[in-house]
Amino acid sequence: MMDQIAEQISLIGQRIPKPDGAAKVLGRTQYINDMVLHRMLIGKILRTDRVHARILRLDISKAAALPGVHAVITGDDTPMIGIGVNKDNPPLKSGTVRCIRDEIAAVAAETEAIADQALALIEVEYEDLPAVFDPAEALEDSAPQLHEDKPGNVGLSYNISYGDIAAGEAESDVVLDETYDLHYVTHCCMGPGCVLAEFDAMGKLTIYSQTQYPYNFKMDLAPTLGIHPGDIRVIQPPVGGAFGSKLDVYPFEPICAFLAQKTRRPVKLVFSREEEFIASPTRQPVRAHIRAGAKKDGTLTFRDVNCLLNNGGYTSWGATVPYVMMRTFSGHFRVPNVEFKSTAVYTNNPFAGSFRGYGNVQATYVTATLMDKMAEAVGMNPIAFRLKNAQEPGEVTPQGSLLKDCALADCITIAAEKTDFLKIYAANAKVETGRYRRGIGIATSLHNAGGAKIHKSDGCGTILTMDDYARVTLITGASEIGQGIDAVITQIVAEELGVPMASITIVNDDSAIGPWDVGVHASRTTFIAGNGARRAAIKAKAQILAAASKEANVPAEEMELRGGHVVQSDNGVSIIRLDRLLRAMHFAGEDAELVMVTDYYEPPSEPEGDNHYGDMSAAYAHAAYVAEVEVDTMTGHVRVEKMTVVQDVGRVVNGLGIEGQIEGGIAMSIGYGLTEDLRIEKGIVKNPSFRDYKVATAPEMPEIAYHFIENDTPEGPFGAKGIAELPAIVPAPAIANAVYNAIGVRFDNPPITPEKVARALHGGQDGGDQ
Amino acid sequence: MSSELEISFILNGQARSLIVAPSAVALSVLRDDFDLTAAKKACGEGECGACTIIVDGASVCSCILYAADLDGRNVQTVEGLDAGDTLDPVQAAFIETGAVQCGYCTPGMVMQIKHLLAENPDPDEAAIRRGLEGNICRCTGYSKIIDAVKSAAITMRAG
């Protein structure tokens, strides 16, 4: 008797809990911070207390003699081979220190207390050197030079030019000239930086790492250790947050490996929270000078942008954020003439890395507030002005991004309608009295949503196997860093193979098993790894249906997989149970086969050339967020009451996951706009604690209203686009625009703290730009 | 004179005794002496709530509580909820509403909410937000955690 298998409700768009949720709520999840290996030692790093100095004497003898200490290493024992984007940062510094986080020695000891005691016994004498902290000052001829091979302190420069700025300016009726100072913020991952390293008897390194790019991590780590990348195995236990902070090799990782190599024992190194604030990368601070013009009818004429980036003492990804900034300045709204120049300048500050949103947080703060200023200058409302300059589907930006399904105008129109924007905006602007004033503001942006081909490949490998019980193991190169890719991949594979989600195991925590992936960044993982998983599942399905066709003598195209069975497509009648078929395939004598497929998905995008031109993503997405705020004009406190999210997501895959990403992004962006400020004064981090560095807490979260635009982007998995950075990018400038609507003051120097607001309203220094 | 103290307390329902240094904090004792690693050290100064446990019915940051002060107390950690065949309603709600992302703050959040709902079985939105104020989450933006509290409160009131 044959069962009829009911048609399954599609999993795509459902609200699917994360498969790692149970272990996490039960407290069973073991992070590296929780791990203990046999004979494991504890590593600790001694950092300098100077911002720029020559090391005259570094005496480790007392520390090395302390019982329980197994190794003390310095830059004299370890290779001076730099890590980071410019390879300018040797893990342990020898000779000169250039910023307050500089690592000068490290110990491995039997306990944390002994390690701390050993650090205190290390004697250092310095000769202080002249220091420089401001990037403009660091460019002056008389400035101290930080790196011998970087004359003039210039780290990295990016320049693009399209059209004719002078011609654009000549036809402008309005020209604005604005300077923005975009500040230091930091990731504040709840799990502090941590690594555990161990060498095996053959001299191969196993590193338990929080990295979010395990495969290129090997390539970047190997040279400084003097070993072959192939001799590094990266294991990725669950990680307590990443947000871009783990996209590079940082000194503590090779230092831990050096300690493990020297002691021939496993060594674990965990940051304190203070160390996390001081010695993990920040978001890139940017001083942006922009001149921009428009005609009376609202047509944008030109943008001329000059950015100075404080590079700090060394170079990680922070200095490369212009890659993304320039795409926004040139490509967000139709701008016929664009020049963008940026210079990252070495100073004696700590340095920046990559951070969710990359340079687009900075570029969008500028462009989205400048669009409002420009609208006012030409006498248009913020909605009409934006719609006037919004691109149509199919337009190509000056840098070659093909906006094939551009939803910018839709985003703006829907955001305005859903919030009754124009009416509220006009009403708020009229109110000039009263302690509490309300404001509404809109901001939009554009971000890559189908990967970002910044390396030679933007691909992801996938291996799918099925066992004799129809259980699926899906091995993907893409990492789970808490964001929920395991849930998305489980849904996609279950959808294609018609098996329960509980029958799928995702494996993505071991570089010795997983196939290559470029890393979790650039809002790419659902798109790229999702496509890879789907393609692998489709290949597996084809193999299964071919075997079923042979077994049951029914053409493959007349069958499908449903509810753990192979069924007839037309009536859903089961032809054979899937596990039985798999066993039949497996034990078929000479024709035996396993379902065991591989896929390497390379998105159809092109790398940027040296001229920064190229269609670098397989999809782009826009978003328009509307913030509604209340400003207390007495205290200067800004409260975000509501955030309306209108975002082109292509297609929602996991309702819970997408909202979770957006809500987390909004919290982060509220922090960027209102409260978070890593204060670095003369190279010293002044507020390295959660007491003095304020991230958003539960009472500060606004009501959030969603409107997703779902147009099924052609290349996306089930039409989905990448979504997770725009929520961290767009809210802050929407809030800034809302604050202006409330009190008529612009703040081009976030965060918009109560102090700044109160000073702007009641006098005093450091207010906004009235 | 001994520089160490003997303490006895109830830990997740079981009587336990051990010798601790006067300077030892509760979090280290739980993690290092009892292998209870759910409570996390994320700031070490009582600012983030990732180490929250319940002591005599009150939620406390175990990273700034002397282990010596556990003497004679009733101590609960998330591991103590991992007992029966079914999940605790707060934990079930966390999974169901999507309140977990990286999970590092989760055990502390769960214990804070256990305490919150024990004190106030029917908290309004403002009370929930105030109750979570001392627990930092960098992933979720709190919305789903607030949803989880509401959902767990309904389940628990229904008994």
Side-chain angles (χ1 to χ4, degrees):
Chain A
M1 199 187 78
M2 287 297 177
D3 293 333
Q4 197 168 17
I5 308 299
E7 202 152 343
Q8 313 281 296
I9 297 165
S10 172
L11 292 167
I12 303 306
Q14 305 263 351
R15 301 172 75 79
I16 306 296
K18 283 158 59 70
D20 52 354
K24 286 177 173 173
V25 298
L26 288 166
R28 291 191 199 174
T29 302
Q30 290 286 291
Y31 301 82
I32 301 169
N33 316 54
D34 303 321
M35 285 176 61
V36 177
L37 296 188
H38 182 59
R39 300 184 78 234
M40 185 178 88
L41 299 171
I42 301 298
K44 286 261 177 188
I45 293 171
L46 180 69
R47 298 177 190 281
T48 184
D49 57 359
R50 307 300 168 102
V51 292
H52 197 194
R54 193 167 292 123
I55 300 171
L56 299 178
R57 188 175 72 91
L58 181 58
D59 184 350
I60 60 168
S61 55
K62 286 180 192 159
L66 186 71
V69 169
H70 289 253
V72 184
I73 57 172
T74 70
D76 293 336
D77 312 317
T78 52
M80 285 297 111
I81 297 173
I83 52 177
V85 170
N86 277 356
K87 306 295 174 211
D88 54 14
N89 191 6
L92 284 159
K93 282 58 166 176
S94 176
T96 306
V97 292
R98 297 179 182 84
C99 68
I100 194 69
R101 57 165 291 176
D102 271 11
E103 301 79 2
I104 54 172
V107 304
E110 284 164 19
T111 67
E112 191 178 351
I114 297 171
D116 280 331
Q117 223 182 327
L119 291 188
L121 291 172
I122 297 174
E123 294 171 9
V124 199
E125 272 178 51
Y126 297 100
E127 176 195 351
D128 284 315
L129 298 170
V132 63
F133 310 103
D134 181 276
E137 288 171 18
L139 282 175
E140 288 169 11
D141 290 343
S142 58
Q145 300 294 298
L146 267 77
H147 292 273
E148 270 174 23
D149 59 342
K150 298 286 178 191
N153 291 325
V154 173
L156 289 170
S157 292
Y158 296 86
N159 302 298
I160 55 167
S161 178
Y162 302 101
D164 182 338
I165 291 289
E169 185 160 0
E171 60 177 8
S172 303
D173 295 309
V174 171
V175 173
L176 295 179
D177 185 318
E178 302 283 316
T179 302
Y180 287 80
D181 238 319
L182 301 164
H183 59 308
Y184 282 100
V185 293
T186 190
H187 304 73
C188 295
C189 300
M190 291 309 291
C194 191
V195 62
L196 201 169
E198 177 178 32
F199 280 85
D200 71 12
M202 305 292 283
K204 293 183 181 177
L205 171 64
T206 297
I207 188 159
Y208 298 82
S209 168
Q210 297 171 317
T211 185
Q212 53 192 105
Y213 80 121
Y215 300 94
N216 282 359
F217 180 86
K218 299 199 295 185
M219 175 182 80
D220 289 344
L221 178 62
T224 196
L225 295 179
I227 63 178
H228 190 279
D231 290 338
I232 300 174
R233 179 176 185 179
V234 183
I235 304 216
Q236 298 168 273
V239 48
F243 316 113
S245 64
K246 289 139 177 61
L247 271 169
D248 203 351
V249 171
Y250 289 102
F252 73 103
E253 292 159 324
I255 287 171
C256 190
F258 286 134
L259 290 171
Q261 197 169 34
K262 185 153 185 190
T263 60
R264 308 167 80 90
R265 289 171 68 159
V267 178
K268 181 164 88 167
L269 199 155
V270 183
F271 278 12
S272 68
R273 178 57 58 185
E274 183 181 25
E275 207 170 13
E276 182 78 7
F277 272 105
I278 293 171
S280 59
T282 67
R283 189 181 290 289
Q284 178 64 52
V286 175
R287 189 172 303 156
H289 176 213
I290 180 165
R291 295 172 64 258
K295 296 182 194 170
K296 263 189 219 141
D297 69 356
T299 310
L300 291 173
T301 49
F302 78 99
R303 284 177 180 165
D304 183 6
V305 189
N306 264 285
C307 292
L308 263 189
L309 277 57
N310 195 327
N311 196 96
Y314 307 94
T315 312
S316 180
W317 290 110
T320 72
V321 299
Y323 265 124
V324 176
M325 295 179 71
M326 62 174 80
R327 291 260 165 187
T328 302
F329 283 115
S330 69
H332 189 38
F333 294 105
R334 197 181 295 121
V335 190
N337 308 293
V338 181
E339 267 194 33
F340 175 92
K341 294 195 184 82
S342 81
T343 309
V345 188
Y346 285 108
T347 70
N348 296 108
N349 273 4
F351 56 91
S354 52
F355 191 170
R356 188 179 190 182
Y358 222 59
N360 208 0
V361 167
Q362 298 91 323
T364 295
Y365 194 90
V366 174
T367 52
T369 53
L370 193 75
M371 287 298 280
D372 258 31
K373 295 178 189 178
M374 193 69 87
E376 189 177 353
V378 299
M380 290 173 76
N381 73 59
I383 304 299
F385 180 70
R386 284 180 169 84
L387 287 173
K388 173 87 185 169
N389 294 288
Q391 291 110 323
E392 304 281 335
E395 282 190 54
V396 178
T397 72
Q399 283 185 261
S401 302
L402 168 59
L403 307 177
K404 47 180 172 279
D405 46 8
C406 177
L408 176 55
D410 286 348
C411 286
I412 296 165
T413 304
I414 292 166
E417 282 172 10
K418 294 276 168 197
T419 57
D420 205 2
F421 187 93
L422 289 175
K423 195 173 142 205
I424 296 176
Y425 183 80
N428 288 339
K430 281 192 198 127
V431 178
E432 290 179 350
T433 56
R435 175 170 167 183
Y436 297 100
R437 309 241 186 102
R438 296 182 52 80
I440 189 168
I442 187 170
T444 63
S445 195
L446 156 76
H447 207 70
N448 42 270
K453 201 157 285 181
I454 60 163
H455 299 283
K456 288 177 203 152
S457 168
D458 191 26
C460 175
T462 307
I463 301 168
L464 188 157
T465 66
M466 294 181 80
D467 71 6
D468 293 339
Y469 316 102
R471 302 296 169 112
V472 182
T473 299
L474 189 294
I475 308 171
T476 174
S479 304
E480 171 67 54
I481 56 170
Q483 86 281 36
I485 191 58
D486 288 4
V488 163
I489 286 179
T490 301
Q491 276 178 276
I492 287 174
V493 172
E495 180 79 4
E496 287 296 347
L497 295 181
V499 297
M501 289 192 289
S503 70
I504 297 166
T505 300
I506 308 290
V507 176
N508 52 355
D509 60 356
D510 187 343
S511 72
I513 296 170
W516 191 87
D517 172 76
V518 79
V520 176
H521 78 135
S523 303
R524 71 185 279 282
T525 305
T526 289
F527 192 98
I528 308 286
N531 263 329
R534 188 178 187 199
R535 284 156 45 113
I538 288 170
K539 288 179 192 174
K541 181 158 67 178
Q543 186 185 350
I544 291 164
L545 293 182
S549 176
K550 236 169 32 184
E551 187 86 8
N553 221 1
V554 177
E557 53 278 11
E558 291 174 16
M559 298 184 288
E560 61 186 68
L561 300 179
R562 182 188 292 180
H565 292 251
V566 179
V567 302
Q568 278 177 233
S569 305
D570 53 357
N571 58 14
V573 169
S574 174
I575 292 167
I576 184 169
R577 225 169 66 191
L578 185 55
D579 59 331
R580 287 196 183 133
L581 173 66
L582 289 164
R583 287 194 290 271
M585 290 164 70
H586 184 182
F587 304 113
E590 281 180 9
D591 295 329
E593 57 181 326
L594 283 179
V595 174
M596 201 165 56
V597 302
T598 66
D599 182 74
Y600 186 68
Y601 175 65
E602 180 71 53
S605 51
E606 54 193 37
E608 260 189 25
D610 291 338
N611 56 359
H612 301 296
Y613 187 90
D615 193 16
M616 45 75 87
S617 185
Y620 301 88
H622 289 89
Y625 282 35
V626 173
E628 292 173 68
V629 305
E630 181 186 78
V631 182
D632 181 341
T633 58
M634 183 185 280
T635 62
H637 181 255
V638 176
R639 168 163 173 69
V640 186
E641 299 194 319
K642 186 171 180 187
M643 190 70 70
T644 300
V645 173
V646 183
Q647 188 165 337
D648 171 16
V649 301
R651 171 69 40 191
V652 174
V653 179
N654 185 349
L656 279 183
I658 203 166
E659 289 175 10
Q661 285 300 305
I662 290 172
E663 288 153 8
I666 290 172
M668 220 165 233
S669 194
I670 286 175
Y672 188 78
L674 295 181
T675 61
E676 291 180 41
D677 187 8
L678 192 71
R679 286 189 292 110
I680 299 176
E681 293 171 15
K682 295 196 184 308
I684 309 287
V685 179
K686 304 300 269 187
N687 55 341
S689 77
F690 283 131
R691 187 181 307 115
D692 300 318
Y693 181 96
K694 288 294 182 196
V695 301
T697 57
E700 285 131 66
M701 282 303 285
E703 175 194 347
I704 297 169
Y706 291 104
H707 188 93
F708 294 128
I709 295 176
E710 297 181 273
N711 290 332
D712 291 349
T713 200
E715 183 65 22
F718 296 98
K721 291 184 174 184
I723 65 99
E725 284 172 291
L726 281 168
I729 292 166
V730 191
I735 292 166
N737 285 337
V739 169
Y740 180 76
N741 182 231
I743 59 170
V745 183
R746 289 272 171 209
F747 293 90
D748 296 341
N749 54 345
I752 307 173
T753 57
E755 290 87 340
K756 285 183 192 162
V757 174
R759 282 182 176 144
L761 293 173
H762 309 302
Q765 294 175 334
D766 298 334
D769 303 335
Q770 196 132 20
Chain B
M1 207 178 85
S2 170
S3 65
E4 294 184 324
L5 304 163
E6 180 168 4
I7 58 170
S8 299
F9 59 106
I10 308 293
L11 178 56
N12 295 329
Q14 291 188 318
R16 307 303 298 252
S17 293
L18 88 160
I19 309 277
V20 297
S23 61
V25 295
L27 178 62
S28 307
V29 166
L30 292 173
R31 291 177 60 86
D32 300 340
D33 294 303
F34 292 103
D35 285 334
L36 297 174
T37 55
K40 298 286 182 270
K41 182 174 177 181
C43 75
E45 50 189 23
E47 289 289 332
C48 78
C51 64
T52 302
I53 60 171
I54 295 179
V55 179
D56 284 352
S59 66
V60 295
C61 287
S62 61
C63 73
I64 50 167
L65 176 73
Y66 281 120
D69 288 336
L70 295 178
D71 190 42
R73 310 281 189 130
N74 186 353
V75 178
Q76 290 170 281
T77 73
V78 155
E79 286 92 343
L81 302 178
D82 192 357
D85 292 336
T86 54
L87 282 170
D88 180 272
V90 174
Q91 293 171 316
F94 257 65
I95 299 171
E96 203 58 29
T97 60
V100 181
Q101 287 190 32
C102 88
Y104 210 80
C105 74
T106 305
M109 282 280 185
V110 167
M111 294 315 277
Q112 177 61 22
I113 293 163
K114 290 295 290 176
H115 165 70
L116 172 71
L117 293 178
E119 296 278 302
N120 180 0
D122 190 13
D124 64 13
E125 174 93 19
I128 295 172
R129 286 168 179 253
R130 260 200 319 280
L132 298 178
E133 194 170 19
N135 291 67
I136 296 175
C137 170
R138 194 56 161 166
C139 296
T140 66
Y142 307 98
S143 302
K144 300 272 177 276
I145 296 174
I146 295 165
D147 291 348
V149 180
K150 292 177 185 169
S151 161
I154 291 169
T155 310
M156 288 164 76
R157 285 201 307 277

